[in-house]
Amino acid sequence: MSALAMYAFVMSITPGPNNLMLTTSGLAFGLTRTWPHILGIPCGVAIQLAAVGAGLGAIFALEPRIQIGLKLVGTLYLLWLAFKLWRAAAPSDAPMAKPIGFLQAAAFQLVNPKAWLIAVTAVSAFVGPGEGYVVRIVLVGAVFTLVGLPCMAVWAAFGAGLRQWLSSPGKLLVVNRTMAALPAITAGQFWL
């Protein structure tokens, strides 16, 4: 159990598409309005774990074009996000903008290559075949949720903390451009 918790911690706290989006949401909307986004991520991951446990991981191994398609969609989404961040205005200048919601965050996991990697690895490493298989899948999902939620909240709180620091347009521009570069770089790493 401790190996699973450590794996969940490392995969949840390290940078990736979810954490970059949470930081950006914290910056743009504050921590309170980012909570639906935070809570949607483990829901999407639980769906992935169930799908991989039901055999989708074997299909990925047999049909690599599915993985390429997921990488492509994930890359395009991250590049779109980078474009939006590059052009972002001050948080108060965008009153019509809305944070990513629970269902959107859950659905994003379906095209998030890091989330698929986590699901496939977690099921293959921590869920052995045999009696109690479904219970072990649920346990892996529960551990990822319990360990991941605080990790994700840290990234969103970091963004929210930046929001208060960024009172000058110059500082905001630097942070927006930096935050735009990170998803673009992440998208490029999908293909290495």
Side-chain angles (χ1 to χ4, degrees):
M1 183 70 94
S2 63
L4 172 61
M6 182 58 72
Y7 176 72
F9 175 76
V10 169
M11 296 310 284
S12 297
I13 199 71
T14 55
N18 284 324
N19 290 337
L20 296 175
M21 291 167 53
L22 288 169
T23 301
T24 302
S25 183
L27 174 62
F29 304 108
L31 185 57
T32 301
R33 292 184 65 197
T34 302
W35 271 106
H37 186 170
I38 294 169
L39 295 172
I41 292 169
C43 178
V45 170
I47 291 168
Q48 284 177 303
L49 288 168
V52 169
L56 193 56
I59 293 171
F60 284 165
L62 292 173
E63 187 52 66
R65 289 181 291 192
I66 295 172
Q67 291 176 311
I68 292 170
L70 289 171
K71 280 185 183 182
L72 181 61
V73 172
T75 297
L76 292 174
Y77 182 80
L78 287 172
L79 292 174
W80 174 82
L81 179 64
F83 174 75
K84 297 294 275 181
L85 288 169
W86 190 267
R87 298 186 58 217
S92 61
D93 293 346
M96 298 304 287
K98 295 188 314 189
I100 291 174
F102 179 89
L103 292 176
Q104 292 168 309
F108 175 69
Q109 304 322 300
L110 299 177
V111 296
N112 181 350
K114 181 179 177 185
W116 281 111
L117 172 70
I118 290 169
V120 170
T121 304
V123 170
S124 63
F126 300 105
V127 181
E131 194 172 316
Y133 183 78
V134 172
V135 171
R136 288 191 300 277
I137 295 267
V138 171
L139 179 65
V140 168
V143 169
F144 263 91
T145 299
L146 291 172
V147 172
L149 284 174
C151 295
M152 291 179 278
V154 164
W155 283 90
F158 173 68
L162 282 176
R163 180 184 179 120
Q164 296 171 357
W165 179 73
L166 297 173
S167 56
S168 80
K171 289 179 183 177
L172 180 62
L173 181 66
V174 168
V175 169
N176 280 346
R177 298 287 164 91
T178 302
M179 293 304 291
L182 293 175
I185 291 167
T186 302
Q189 290 178 340
F190 288 161
W191 300 95
L192 298 178

